[in-house]
Amino acid sequence: AIHLESIRDPAEVEAEWQKLVRKYPSLGRLPLRPALPVEVPGKGTFYRVAAGNFASRDEAARACAPIKAAGAYCAILAP
């Protein structure tokens, strides 16, 4: 999967995903992953906006490439 953003409210994950798809249409073909909490020391709980099921790390990297090229955050999540 690819991690695109972290937000505080899990109820907002779907809305953030829709914003990202509008901004980066190539994301539209990817399934949104369930919002999972991540504890950030000293900052609290965040929820990842993550998408995709990729066959390989290279495939995930190709999905991130245009997003990173536009100056946005995109990271590959370990399976």
Side-chain angles (χ1 to χ4, degrees):
I2 55 174
H3 174 207
L4 300 154
E5 196 169 319
S6 295
I7 60 174
R8 292 243 183 223
D9 184 353
E12 294 295 319
V13 169
E14 177 69 33
E16 284 301 313
W17 172 244
Q18 294 305 321
K19 287 180 193 175
L20 289 165
V21 168
R22 283 191 298 277
K23 191 169 185 176
Y24 308 105
S26 64
L27 294 174
R29 63 180 175 77
L30 301 176
L32 177 63
R33 304 285 299 256
L36 297 176
V38 176
E39 284 295 321
V40 178
K43 294 189 178 183
T45 304
F46 287 82
Y47 295 84
R48 287 182 173 160
V49 178
N53 295 310
F54 299 98
S56 69
R57 189 170 182 83
D58 286 341
E59 190 178 319
R62 284 192 296 276
C64 268
I67 296 158
K68 285 182 172 183
Y73 176 81
C74 188
I76 299 168
L77 294 174

